[in-house]
Amino acid sequence: MPKWTFTKGLHDLGNGCFAYLQPTGGWGWSNAGLIADSGQTLLIDTLYDLKLTAEMLDKMRAAVPSAKSIRTLVNTHSNADHTFGNQLVKDAQIIASQKCYDEMKEIDVEARRQELKNWQALGDAGLFQHENLDGNFDFEGIVLTMPTKTFERELDLKVGDKQVKLIEVGPAHTRGDILIHVPKDRTVFTGDILFSNGHPPAWAGPISNWIKACDLIMSMDVETVVPGHGPIVEKSALKDFKAYFEYLTRETRKRFDAGMSISEAAYDIDLSQFKGWIDEERIVVNVNTLYKDLGASSGLLSPFELRTWMGRYRREQRETAHDHSHAGHNH
Ligand SMILES: [Zn+2]
């Protein structure tokens, strides 16, 4: 029996640590966290839009009165599904790694709104974003709200009497990923260094760095691991997650050496041992990053091309599943 249920909302981890979960954990459905001690609170990440973030803050304030004035917000990385709600806690000090800050500065909120509006003109990439985001998230009113304090490598904080350690482990998922470790509570909030029951997209890489981050978490004395997406898990989940990257590294190298293109390699790799993990189309991003890690000098895909190929990959998966379910009736 899993120790934690995967239901939407605030989950009390005990001793002043909370996780806020958003099933399904797929595209944009991120988790967040709250650490409270002696009347002080630290929020870990905001959500993809203002409505979702406001709803989360209401739940936190109902459970923890001192969350009415959150003193500190930590962004685990730059991705919009962890930062677009920042403006709702703008009186807090906002802490992130310097590399997260640099990457966040490049986000163009208006361009994203326009892309989503004009999705029909953007082919498979537009359709892919439309399916992932439209109707789920609302980017109206979002004002990019940047971190106000940055660090490199490590930063020790106190929330009340509780020690909280920020540890930079990127570049991996993004350029500036960090972990948030609460030693006394044997808890780690991993941000998107862990996707539980989902394929992780390695936007930045190198993948070898992500594998090192898995080793670091496994070496910690922790019993509760709150991922950036998906259900809360125990440390043992990192073993399977690391094995995914090791498998992908081996399989991609073979295809790189054989001269396959990135999309050919992505379609060719057998992912059946990870059945049950969502968002399988992210294989395209990961093969692209591994080709970059292996020193590919040409043929790498742009963010737009990645969305195009992920859209195609997912459509073909659906069609295959559909064919299988109808095979018995047709013949
Ligand atoms: Zn995320």
Side-chain angles (χ1 to χ4, degrees):
M1 275 292 284
K3 199 166 159 194
W4 305 102
T5 55
F6 187 39
T7 50
K8 183 184 170 172
L10 198 63
H11 293 251
D12 188 346
L13 308 177
N15 207 27
C17 278
F18 296 82
Y20 189 85
L21 307 181
Q22 294 194 102
T24 60
W27 291 102
W29 295 113
S30 52
N31 297 331
L34 184 74
I35 301 169
D37 192 77
S38 312
Q40 292 185 1
T41 48
L42 180 148
L43 175 66
I44 298 165
D45 283 341
T46 55
L47 305 178
Y48 214 168
D49 71 16
L50 300 178
K51 188 171 154 260
L52 291 168
T53 303
E55 187 187 349
M56 172 178 80
L57 290 172
D58 281 349
K59 294 273 159 57
M60 287 176 169
R61 284 162 184 160
V64 182
S66 58
K68 279 188 179 62
S69 63
I70 289 169
R71 283 170 58 130
T72 310
L73 162 65
V74 177
N75 286 136
T76 57
H77 63 291
S78 66
N79 283 171
D81 53 335
H82 301 260
T83 58
F84 266 13
N86 279 8
Q87 78 202 69
L88 296 186
V89 281
K90 62 178 185 306
D91 294 332
Q93 181 177 53
I94 305 178
I95 304 178
S97 70
Q98 179 62 40
K99 291 197 181 83
C100 167
Y101 179 95
D102 296 341
E103 198 173 36
M104 224 177 129
K105 253 190 354 196
E106 296 172 11
I107 296 176
D108 183 340
V109 183
E110 186 51 30
R112 290 192 186 205
R113 276 194 282 260
Q114 289 309 321
E115 268 179 26
L116 217 49
K117 273 182 193 143
N118 302 327
W119 68 270
Q120 279 163 312
L122 298 170
D124 286 327
L127 178 62
F128 183 67
Q129 287 296 79
H130 171 74
E131 285 181 356
N132 290 336
L133 307 181
D134 265 352
N136 294 332
F137 310 104
D138 180 3
F139 299 147
E140 287 311 314
I142 285 163
V143 178
L144 193 66
T145 304
M146 296 293 295
T148 55
K149 177 187 168 81
T150 63
F151 71 98
E152 288 179 69
R153 291 164 183 272
E154 287 198 20
L155 182 67
D156 285 348
L157 299 174
K158 278 230 159 157
V159 180
D161 292 323
K162 192 173 284 186
Q163 191 193 25
V164 177
K165 295 174 97 62
L166 311 187
I167 306 157
E168 186 176 15
V169 292
H173 170 63
T174 63
R175 280 185 244 154
D177 310 293
I178 66 169
L179 307 173
I180 293 149
H181 181 205
V182 191
K184 189 166 157 252
D185 298 335
R186 303 183 67 212
T187 297
V188 61
F189 296 86
T190 66
D192 283 3
I193 287 298
L194 177 64
F195 286 70
S196 59
N197 298 341
H199 288 260
W203 300 115
I207 301 265
S208 56
N209 223 14
W210 203 330
I211 291 173
K212 273 189 222 156
C214 293
D215 285 331
L216 176 64
I217 298 168
M218 284 192 281
S219 75
M220 288 175 166
D221 178 24
V222 291
E223 60 177 339
T224 307
V225 180
V226 182
H229 294 257
I232 300 169
V233 287
E234 292 179 25
K235 209 166 71 170
S236 56
L238 268 302
K239 233 176 94 184
D240 292 341
F241 196 66
K242 178 186 169 186
Y244 167 86
F245 283 125
E246 288 176 334
Y247 170 77
L248 226 59
T249 302
R250 281 193 306 274
E251 293 302 311
T252 301
R253 182 186 291 272
K254 284 183 217 163
R255 289 160 179 84
F256 175 83
D257 290 342
M260 280 189 188
S261 73
I262 287 163
S263 56
E264 280 168 347
Y267 275 91
D268 195 47
I269 293 173
D270 178 8
L271 293 175
S272 54
Q273 60 178 298
F274 305 102
K275 222 173 167 175
W277 287 20
I278 61 172
D279 301 330
E280 197 173 290
E281 65 274 8
R282 291 170 176 167
I283 180 77
V284 180
V285 178
N286 296 338
V287 170
N288 188 61
T289 294
L290 281 161
Y291 268 50
K292 192 171 63 183
D293 295 351
L294 287 164
S297 52
S298 64
L300 293 172
L301 303 175
S302 69
F304 183 82
E305 289 168 324
L306 287 173
R307 291 199 289 277
T308 300
W309 280 105
M310 282 195 281
R312 288 177 189 163
Y313 187 100
R314 190 162 68 190
R315 189 171 62 228
E316 284 175 36
Q317 259 186 320
R318 276 185 198 146
E319 283 165 6
T320 308
H322 185 82
D323 288 349
H324 285 170
S325 67
H326 284 75
H329 304 287
N330 295 335
H331 303 287

